[in-house]
Amino acid sequence: MSNYVLQKEEFSAFFSQVSENYDFIAPIKGKETSFEKVTNDDMLNLIEWDELPLFPIKHFFQPKDEPIFKYDKTTAKDVNSKPRKTVLFGLRLCDLNAIHHRDMALMNEDFTDPFYKERRENSILIGLHCKKGDEYCFCGDMDLHDFFDLMLYEHDECFIIETKTDKGLKFAKKITALDRTDKAIHANDRITENNTRIDKEKMNKIADFFTSEKWEEGSKLCLSCTACNMLCPSCYCFEFTDEPELVLLHKGQRMRNISSCQLKCFTRVAGDFVFRKEKNDRFKHRIYHQLQYFKEKHGVTLCVGCGRCIRGCPKRIDWVDILNKM
Amino acid sequence: MAKDNIYVPTPAKIIDYVIESGDTFSIKLDVKMEHDPGQFVMCSIPGIGESAISICSFSRDYLELNIREVGNVTNAISRLKKDDSLLIRGPYGHGYPMDDFKDNSIVIIGGGSGVAPLKGIIEYVDTRRSDFKYIDIFIGYRTPEDILFKKQLKSWKTNHKVHLSVDKNPNKTKFDGKVGFVTELLKQSDFDNKGRIAVICGPPIMIKFVVGILKDKGFNEDQIFVSAERMMQCGVGFCGHCMINGKYCCKDGPVFRYDEIKDLPEK
Ligand SMILES: Cc1cc2nc3c(=O)[nH]c(=O)nc-3n(C[C@H](O)[C@H](O)[C@H](O)COP(=O)(O)OP(=O)(O)OC[C@H]3O[C@@H](n4cnc5c(N)ncnc54)[C@H](O)[C@@H]3O)c2cc1C
Ligand code: SF4
Ligand code: SF4
Ligand code: FES
């Protein structure tokens, strides 16, 4: 597909053209970097170009809490959702692949999550090539692939933009700040430094280590704080709760809330039986879902190697390091 | 935008309500739903929550559920009356592969609430009796007061071989069965694995013993079907709560061929 070029000095024009028809979401620096809606030119100065945002993009597709239907005594009615057309800008390959994995998880031949599907269909994924990982990343060890509508590769004065999908191409054609270019994306452009650290052989044999006591090195420090689940771009588990209206208790809405496998209540059934009662079992479950269980079903690990679950862990529990030592 | 919201349940009217025991009742719903024995529905009481309940009947005209009061949702359902409605969605999960059972004899082993989904198999078999050979039913309850489906038991006894036991009989109640564990009855009966399938539903500890006994009788692991139970929220393989290692109880199960899950550390 054709390549495009965006001059850096044209970025503000690019933004204003895009925001005529789309919400523009980008990684915005703050106390921690997170994906926010950009509403004005000044915010463009806050875009984080170099470092991986601590917070993932997943809340855009699957909010922390959202209504899934309204009820009234014994009737249930769909909520009217009108997802806005949205450009998600500045995604790294790890985050993009996490979206691909979420597609696999939540849209299949048997069932499709309706809210997720709507938001996916209304979004354009614009990547930003990541040049350098940090001490926690290991995306280079994972089988990531080119999953995006457009991808920006930074040059001195401009970005060269690779188009991958028809959706991306159509979008690029409409935005006049983007010009067609004959410039190719070179192997050099695609390099990401410092992004390997997991022992792949160990990772592929993780099933053999299920009973290893080494996991306790990590789990004994774990606070079950759930930060690892919340920061993970891939984790997608949820639960439902009913939220009655304050006055008319028979009316209300069923909410879908983000959920964490690190908590006992995640597997608690009536009679107070908890299937994963031990912290070590819960600690392992997350890692095994990421590296083994998802792969059994979908052929790829759920984990994309972004390292957020280690970077953001208050105890900095480095499960990759623990696995490497097995 | 119109979308297909799989989470929205639909109203189902209760057309019959039967108290089965101290904490268990059955409801018949005015719902026509194609399903396999062993599949389940998600039942909602708005404002309270949603629970997975096995379909315990096999009929084109209605749906029967057998429910034990153990918490918020199940208590709320128990307070409903005939002509009230609740909300359901489904059917979900993999039930018993009845087509594969064709031309076989079936040994049905159930304990307590676990008898409910097995009732669906019995009713399925009764609609096409000539497709199957012998049906042996082993059911165990804690006490005679806990015996479920007393109404149906008579016809089961007429058409099949029923072995019923209760763990104990503190009130010396008259009942048509033995005192002792159902596993004992199973041990004592003489049949082998030839042309036979065994299905088990009950507490995990019972499943474990029964599998052992069946193996002693020569059953292969792929002739044994077991049901699993886990915390469920979505019922469709998304929410993650029901995972048994990498298997989703709601979607890959709740019925598993034993060899499919026997090696799972969390089984
Ligand atoms: C496949 C399957 C089939 C089932 N079939 C039946 C049946 O035929 N009859 C019957 O009486 N019970 C059945 N159960 C168990 C039934 O789902 C629970 O007893 C019920 O959810 C308890 O809900 P509660 O609100 O009354 O209890 P609470 O303790 O208040 O539970 C709160 C919530 O946790 C979840 N939950 C709690 N326990 C369980 C559990 N054991 N399994 C799944 N989710 C749970 C539910 O979402 C429930 O609403 C089945 C469970 C599964 C997984
Ligand atoms: S972030 Fe760290 S401490 Fe918190 S639950 Fe995850 S592993 Fe445990
Ligand atoms: S498990 Fe950790 S490293 Fe893997 S995708 Fe999730 S946050 Fe990133
Ligand atoms: S109940 Fe949600 S994944 Fe099984």
Side-chain angles (χ1 to χ4, degrees):
Chain A
M1 271 190 195
S2 354
N3 291 340
Y4 282 77
V5 61
L6 169 62
Q7 301 303 329
K8 284 186 179 170
E9 58 192 24
E10 288 284 299
F11 195 77
S12 156
F14 167 74
F15 163 70
S16 76
Q17 282 173 17
V18 172
S19 35
E20 276 171 28
N21 295 308
Y22 298 86
D23 281 357
F24 189 88
I25 312 285
I28 297 297
K29 285 182 211 163
K31 207 163 151 237
E32 294 290 354
T33 305
S34 60
F35 287 89
E36 316 271 345
K37 182 171 164 182
V38 180
T39 50
N40 57 56
D41 253 26
D42 293 343
M43 277 180 84
L44 297 180
N45 300 324
L46 296 174
I47 290 184
E48 172 63 70
W49 295 96
D50 301 315
E51 313 248 314
L52 180 76
L54 178 65
F55 290 98
I57 188 77
K58 66 176 173 185
H59 305 298
F60 169 78
F61 293 110
Q62 199 180 321
K64 196 169 132 309
D65 310 288
E66 71 175 317
I68 54 166
F69 64 80
K70 288 186 182 305
Y71 60 77
D72 183 355
K73 279 192 193 128
T74 51
T75 55
K77 243 181 43 210
D78 200 358
V79 286
N80 290 321
S81 51
K82 283 193 222 83
R84 296 172 58 87
K85 286 179 147 190
T86 304
V87 162
L88 301 166
F89 180 85
L91 305 174
R92 313 294 150 121
L93 205 57
C94 55
D95 288 338
L96 290 158
N97 275 265
I99 295 172
H100 188 209
H101 297 171
R102 193 170 295 261
D103 288 357
M104 297 177 188
L106 299 181
M107 301 193 286
N108 59 49
E109 61 278 12
D110 301 315
F111 301 104
T112 290
D113 184 285
F115 301 95
Y116 181 69
K117 178 164 177 260
E118 267 186 342
R119 294 188 186 113
R120 274 292 280 120
E121 284 172 352
N122 282 285
S123 62
I124 291 186
L125 308 178
I126 304 187
L128 174 65
H129 176 71
C130 180
K131 292 186 215 155
K132 197 162 180 283
D134 67 10
E135 55 185 311
Y136 302 110
C137 302
F138 52 100
C139 66
D141 297 316
M142 313 310 270
D143 286 325
L144 303 194
H145 70 123
D146 283 352
F147 184 82
F148 48 77
D149 294 312
L150 302 174
M151 176 65 95
L152 272 63
Y153 297 87
E154 188 177 6
H155 288 228
D156 288 343
E157 307 288 325
C158 67
F159 298 99
I160 305 292
I161 303 176
E162 184 180 4
T163 55
K164 185 84 192 166
T165 59
D166 289 337
K167 197 178 183 181
L169 188 62
K170 238 169 98 184
F171 172 85
K173 278 182 181 160
K174 273 194 316 214
I175 305 289
T176 54
L178 305 181
D179 295 318
R180 276 288 307 273
T181 177
D182 293 332
K183 278 193 193 142
I185 315 290
H186 295 290
N188 262 350
D189 293 330
R190 296 186 191 274
I191 290 172
T192 308
E193 286 169 21
N194 192 30
N195 66 345
T196 57
R197 64 188 284 262
I198 200 167
D199 181 333
K200 283 176 85 165
E201 211 177 300
K202 299 264 168 66
M203 174 167 72
N204 292 332
K205 304 201 298 201
I206 192 169
D208 296 350
F209 307 130
F210 193 79
T211 51
S212 168
E213 282 167 15
K214 288 230 167 61
W215 292 119
E216 277 165 33
E217 282 177 29
S219 64
K220 70 169 191 260
L221 298 172
C222 174
L223 310 168
S224 299
C225 72
T226 80
C228 48
N229 294 121
M230 300 305 137
L231 294 176
C232 177
S234 298
C235 277
Y236 55 89
C237 292
F238 60 79
E239 61 207 23
F240 298 137
T241 46
D242 285 5
E243 207 178 76
E245 281 179 16
L246 281 180
V247 188
L248 300 164
L249 289 176
H250 61 274
K251 278 190 176 197
Q253 50 190 4
R254 179 158 297 165
M255 303 293 292
R256 180 233 300 267
N257 317 97
I258 200 167
S259 173
S260 164
C261 62
Q262 299 305 301
L263 300 175
K264 276 191 190 169
C265 61
F266 193 77
T267 60
R268 178 184 287 135
V269 292
D272 244 352
F273 187 83
V274 178
F275 284 92
R276 272 179 230 110
K277 198 167 167 195
E278 302 303 326
K279 199 165 57 172
N280 191 47
D281 292 334
R282 303 195 296 274
F283 181 79
K284 281 195 304 188
H285 181 73
R286 188 183 70 84
I287 296 165
Y288 275 78
H289 188 198
Q290 294 282 350
L291 296 186
Q292 182 191 332
Y293 307 153
F294 193 83
K295 194 170 177 182
E296 288 167 355
K297 284 235 173 317
H298 302 286
V300 287
T301 61
L302 178 57
C303 175
V304 293
C306 71
R308 284 183 175 96
C309 57
I310 306 165
R311 201 181 285 110
C313 170
K315 291 289 189 182
R316 288 284 155 89
I317 299 170
D318 193 339
W319 59 268
V320 171
D321 198 39
I322 297 172
L323 176 66
N324 287 348
K325 287 190 309 212
M326 297 252 171
Chain B
M1 186 195 280
K3 65 173 184 289
D4 211 359
N5 190 339
I6 54 169
Y7 304 121
V8 178
T10 46
K13 196 169 120 183
I14 299 175
I15 48 177
D16 196 17
Y17 186 120
V18 177
I19 295 173
E20 299 275 359
S21 72
D23 60 1
T24 306
F25 59 98
S26 295
I27 50 176
K28 190 186 261 187
L29 301 175
D30 186 16
V31 172
K32 296 181 180 29
M33 182 187 275
E34 250 186 59
H35 68 90
D36 299 325
Q39 284 192 296
F40 64 95
V41 287
M42 297 301 294
C43 294
S44 279
I45 300 290
I48 310 285
E50 200 175 33
S51 281
I53 304 291
S54 303
I55 301 169
C56 75
S57 54
F58 189 79
S59 160
R60 282 176 202 286
D61 301 322
Y62 58 84
L63 213 62
E64 257 174 29
L65 309 176
N66 175 267
I67 300 173
R68 198 163 141 226
E69 287 173 58
V70 290
N72 295 330
V73 177
T74 48
N75 281 335
I77 300 176
S78 79
R79 288 195 294 271
L80 299 177
K81 297 179 294 293
K82 193 168 171 252
D83 294 329
D84 285 345
S85 289
L86 71 164
L87 295 168
I88 63 167
R89 59 187 174 95
Y92 294 131
H94 276 93
Y96 299 98
M98 297 309 295
D99 284 341
D100 299 349
F101 293 179
K102 223 177 140 189
D103 300 325
N104 281 283
S105 295
I106 308 177
V107 189
I108 293 171
I109 306 128
S113 306
V115 176
L118 302 175
K119 172 173 169 286
I121 299 188
I122 300 170
E123 294 184 4
Y124 178 95
V125 169
D126 288 342
T127 62
R128 53 204 84 191
R129 187 62 191 89
S130 58
D131 283 358
F132 302 92
K133 300 218 169 80
Y134 302 105
I135 309 296
D136 277 278
I137 303 169
F138 293 84
I139 39 183
Y141 297 99
R142 262 175 313 159
T143 69
E145 286 73 24
D146 295 310
I147 295 174
L148 306 176
F149 309 119
K150 295 193 183 81
K151 224 170 63 185
Q152 290 86 349
L153 207 51
K154 282 198 195 85
S155 80
W156 294 357
K157 283 187 169 154
T158 320
N159 301 325
H160 312 292
K161 212 162 170 190
V162 178
H163 314 254
L164 187 147
S165 73
V166 297
D167 302 350
K168 49 186 193 263
N169 187 359
N171 303 327
K172 306 271 181 288
T173 312
K174 242 188 88 195
F175 74 105
D176 192 6
K178 296 214 166 79
V179 177
F181 290 120
V182 69
T183 42
E184 281 307 313
L185 294 183
L186 185 69
K187 235 187 247 170
Q188 287 155 17
S189 47
D190 64 326
F191 53 78
D192 59 20
N193 70 324
K194 300 231 167 45
R196 271 206 168 74
I197 299 290
V199 296
I200 317 167
C201 190
I205 182 79
M206 183 197 114
I207 294 182
K208 195 177 145 202
F209 281 120
V210 170
V211 168
I213 296 168
L214 290 170
K215 281 192 181 172
D216 289 344
K217 289 189 183 295
F219 277 75
N220 300 322
E221 281 161 351
D222 62 2
Q223 290 177 293
I224 303 173
F225 290 79
V226 298
S227 309
E229 192 176 317
R230 285 295 183 281
M231 165 61 144
M232 283 191 186
Q233 291 284 307
C234 72
V236 295
F238 293 164
C239 76
H241 290 264
C242 71
M243 286 176 82
I244 310 171
N245 298 103
K247 300 266 186 210
Y248 287 81
C249 182
C250 69
K251 199 166 177 227
D252 303 323
V255 175
F256 292 95
R257 210 174 63 199
Y258 187 65
D259 58 321
E260 292 170 344
I261 57 162
K262 68 170 172 105
D263 293 328
L264 300 180
E266 292 182 348
K267 73 152 189 299

